[in-house]
Amino acid sequence: MVDDALRELPAVWYGQLRTLPSRARDEIKRYFHGKCLNVAGFVSHICSNEFAEWLHRCATEDERQLCFLQAFCARVATEVEILHWLETIAEEIGAALDDAWAAYCTELSQKWNSHIQVYDGPNLSADELTHRLSEFILTELREAACLAKSGSQRPAAGESIGKIGVTAILLLLVGLLGPEGAALAIPIFVVLAAKHVWDYVMSRLDDRGSESQNAISSRLALLGNRVGSEFEREVRQRITDLHIWQERSIRAAAAQVARERIGLI
Amino acid sequence: MPPLARILFVAWFVAAAAGCEPSAPPPPAPDTRTPLEYFFDTQGATVTPNGRILLDTATERDGKIEYSTEDGKRWSVTYSRLADGTYQYGTPEELTPVEATREKTTSEDISNEEQASDEEVP
């Protein structure tokens, strides 16, 4: 039963890993493309004397970087908007994953029924099999969500475990930056990608001419590319984790079904 | 206080009370540029994740700005006019090659194509 189940799965997984992460990357790049069209206000702000004075008042490097992220979220894209966009992409990709999984479960129930029938066992409906496999995967998802939670980080999915595909993608980590109560909740991969822009801005603090504005605008475009690449990597990792849980669920369900339907064998 | 000065003081006081104080500087004139003109003026230095915007490809169609980027892709973006007359842009949609070529309906494009096909004839 397990051999039957796993024979065609690698092809499905390969197709998903080939198309879905790159789709996620292109979507997040498109989002940043739109932000680049409205970036003039942000660029002139971080090139202003006011922003430089604000930075000088920060005591530590972390505080300065937080200032930069706050300015970015206030003038380019709010953290709520970024998370909302990620959720929209995750829903789209999650739906594709769930649809493929449901179709696969329907096929699998037919294959397994051919084994069960030999032993006069009652048939296994597609819905029942999907439900059993989903329960196994949901347990894995809950454990992964618990493990991901730490002091200043949490999974983007939050506490709720809803549809499997979306939740699996939204296990990507969100960092809580800044003082409690007024912290910015930004995906870690965005913070990592923004660091490159931030380092550049810091290196040009004393040179804030118009050329500098153009250069910062270019760096923001690179930020879109970096965020896209980081998001692609994250989505690939999340889909790979899901595939591992799917395989485990199949092995566990096969053992369970064999015990119930084939009995002594 | 001499009578004339007293009269002037009273006149100034009455005028001020009636709202004739020197007025604040007039607000800046609203931006009257069209959406396409504004796009031309402000996006010349913009770099997007798809490269620079090719300004000479920008057109306005169906209330959206369409433009190409350095990587060869063509985009359509919505805009909204802000109170100060400037514009804010939405998230652009990538146009498929079919949608992108549909824009070739201007007389300039058609005449260019005709000219090109004429040149190919030996």
Side-chain angles (χ1 to χ4, degrees), chain B residues 28-34 37-38 41-42 81-87:
Chain B
D31 202 322
T32 55
R33 286 174 286 182
T34 65
E37 285 170 347
Y38 185 83
D41 291 348
T42 56
R81 192 179 162 88
L82 303 178
D84 60 359
T86 59
Y87 291 87

Short mmCIF file of all heavy atoms in Angstrom, two decimals, chain B residues 28-34 37-38 41-42 81-87:
data_model
loop_
_atom_site.label_atom_id
_atom_site.label_comp_id
_atom_site.label_asym_id
_atom_site.label_seq_id
_atom_site.Cartn_x
_atom_site.Cartn_y
_atom_site.Cartn_z
N PRO B 28 -0.18 76.38 -1.82
CA PRO B 28 0.43 76.14 -3.13
C PRO B 28 -0.63 75.70 -4.14
O PRO B 28 -1.58 75.00 -3.77
CB PRO B 28 1.43 75.02 -2.86
CG PRO B 28 1.04 74.41 -1.54
CD PRO B 28 0.33 75.48 -0.80
N ALA B 29 -0.44 76.15 -5.35
CA ALA B 29 -1.42 75.81 -6.38
C ALA B 29 -1.45 74.30 -6.57
O ALA B 29 -0.41 73.66 -6.55
CB ALA B 29 -1.03 76.48 -7.70
N PRO B 30 -2.65 73.73 -6.72
CA PRO B 30 -2.71 72.28 -6.91
C PRO B 30 -2.03 71.85 -8.19
O PRO B 30 -1.98 72.61 -9.17
CB PRO B 30 -4.22 71.99 -6.95
CG PRO B 30 -4.86 73.29 -7.26
CD PRO B 30 -3.96 74.36 -6.73
N ASP B 31 -1.48 70.65 -8.14
CA ASP B 31 -0.77 70.10 -9.30
C ASP B 31 -1.79 69.82 -10.40
O ASP B 31 -2.78 69.14 -10.17
CB ASP B 31 -0.09 68.79 -8.87
CG ASP B 31 1.06 68.43 -9.77
OD1 ASP B 31 0.92 68.65 -10.99
OD2 ASP B 31 2.07 67.94 -9.28
N THR B 32 -1.56 70.40 -11.56
CA THR B 32 -2.55 70.24 -12.64
C THR B 32 -2.08 69.29 -13.73
O THR B 32 -2.71 69.18 -14.78
CB THR B 32 -2.87 71.59 -13.28
OG1 THR B 32 -1.64 72.17 -13.71
CG2 THR B 32 -3.58 72.52 -12.31
N ARG B 33 -0.96 68.61 -13.46
CA ARG B 33 -0.46 67.70 -14.49
C ARG B 33 -1.42 66.52 -14.70
O ARG B 33 -2.07 66.07 -13.76
CB ARG B 33 0.92 67.15 -14.10
CG ARG B 33 2.03 68.18 -14.24
CD ARG B 33 3.34 67.65 -13.71
NE ARG B 33 3.34 67.63 -12.25
CZ ARG B 33 4.39 67.24 -11.52
NH1 ARG B 33 5.51 66.86 -12.12
NH2 ARG B 33 4.34 67.24 -10.20
N THR B 34 -1.49 66.04 -15.93
CA THR B 34 -2.33 64.87 -16.20
C THR B 34 -1.63 63.64 -15.61
O THR B 34 -0.42 63.69 -15.33
CB THR B 34 -2.50 64.65 -17.71
OG1 THR B 34 -1.22 64.33 -18.26
CG2 THR B 34 -3.06 65.88 -18.39
N GLU B 37 1.42 62.84 -17.63
CA GLU B 37 2.49 63.84 -17.44
C GLU B 37 3.17 63.64 -16.10
O GLU B 37 4.40 63.70 -15.99
CB GLU B 37 1.91 65.25 -17.51
CG GLU B 37 1.56 65.71 -18.91
CD GLU B 37 0.75 67.02 -18.90
OE1 GLU B 37 0.24 67.44 -17.84
OE2 GLU B 37 0.62 67.59 -19.99
N TYR B 38 2.37 63.39 -15.07
CA TYR B 38 2.93 63.18 -13.73
C TYR B 38 3.82 61.95 -13.72
O TYR B 38 4.90 61.95 -13.14
CB TYR B 38 1.79 63.03 -12.72
CG TYR B 38 2.28 62.94 -11.30
CD1 TYR B 38 2.57 64.10 -10.57
CD2 TYR B 38 2.48 61.72 -10.68
CE1 TYR B 38 3.03 64.04 -9.27
CE2 TYR B 38 2.95 61.63 -9.38
CZ TYR B 38 3.22 62.80 -8.68
OH TYR B 38 3.70 62.72 -7.40
N ASP B 41 7.09 62.72 -15.32
CA ASP B 41 7.94 63.61 -14.53
C ASP B 41 8.54 62.94 -13.30
O ASP B 41 9.58 63.35 -12.81
CB ASP B 41 7.13 64.85 -14.07
CG ASP B 41 6.78 65.74 -15.25
OD1 ASP B 41 7.36 65.51 -16.33
OD2 ASP B 41 5.93 66.63 -15.09
N THR B 42 7.83 61.94 -12.76
CA THR B 42 8.27 61.40 -11.46
C THR B 42 8.92 60.02 -11.53
O THR B 42 9.59 59.62 -10.58
CB THR B 42 7.08 61.29 -10.47
OG1 THR B 42 6.07 60.49 -11.08
CG2 THR B 42 6.53 62.66 -10.13
N ARG B 81 -5.72 59.98 -7.56
CA ARG B 81 -5.26 61.36 -7.39
C ARG B 81 -5.41 61.77 -5.93
O ARG B 81 -6.47 61.57 -5.33
CB ARG B 81 -6.10 62.27 -8.29
CG ARG B 81 -5.56 63.66 -8.45
CD ARG B 81 -6.49 64.43 -9.39
NE ARG B 81 -6.31 65.84 -9.28
CZ ARG B 81 -5.42 66.55 -9.98
NH1 ARG B 81 -4.67 65.93 -10.86
NH2 ARG B 81 -5.30 67.84 -9.81
N LEU B 82 -4.35 62.29 -5.36
CA LEU B 82 -4.39 62.72 -3.96
C LEU B 82 -4.86 64.17 -3.89
O LEU B 82 -4.95 64.86 -4.92
CB LEU B 82 -3.00 62.59 -3.33
CG LEU B 82 -2.39 61.17 -3.38
CD1 LEU B 82 -1.01 61.17 -2.77
CD2 LEU B 82 -3.29 60.18 -2.66
N ALA B 83 -5.13 64.61 -2.66
CA ALA B 83 -5.69 65.96 -2.48
C ALA B 83 -4.76 67.05 -3.02
O ALA B 83 -5.22 68.08 -3.52
CB ALA B 83 -5.96 66.19 -0.99
N ASP B 84 -3.45 66.82 -2.94
CA ASP B 84 -2.51 67.85 -3.41
C ASP B 84 -2.27 67.78 -4.92
O ASP B 84 -1.41 68.49 -5.45
CB ASP B 84 -1.18 67.72 -2.66
CG ASP B 84 -0.52 66.37 -2.87
OD1 ASP B 84 -1.11 65.54 -3.59
OD2 ASP B 84 0.58 66.15 -2.34
N GLY B 85 -3.02 66.92 -5.60
CA GLY B 85 -2.89 66.86 -7.05
C GLY B 85 -1.86 65.85 -7.53
O GLY B 85 -1.75 65.60 -8.73
N THR B 86 -1.11 65.27 -6.59
CA THR B 86 -0.15 64.24 -7.00
C THR B 86 -0.88 62.90 -7.12
O THR B 86 -2.07 62.81 -6.80
CB THR B 86 1.00 64.12 -5.98
OG1 THR B 86 0.43 63.78 -4.72
CG2 THR B 86 1.76 65.41 -5.86
N TYR B 87 -0.17 61.89 -7.53
CA TYR B 87 -0.80 60.59 -7.78
C TYR B 87 -0.13 59.49 -6.97
O TYR B 87 1.07 59.54 -6.72
CB TYR B 87 -0.73 60.24 -9.27
CG TYR B 87 -1.61 61.12 -10.11
CD1 TYR B 87 -1.13 62.34 -10.60
CD2 TYR B 87 -2.92 60.77 -10.40
CE1 TYR B 87 -1.94 63.18 -11.35
CE2 TYR B 87 -3.73 61.60 -11.16
CZ TYR B 87 -3.24 62.79 -11.64
OH TYR B 87 -4.04 63.61 -12.37
#
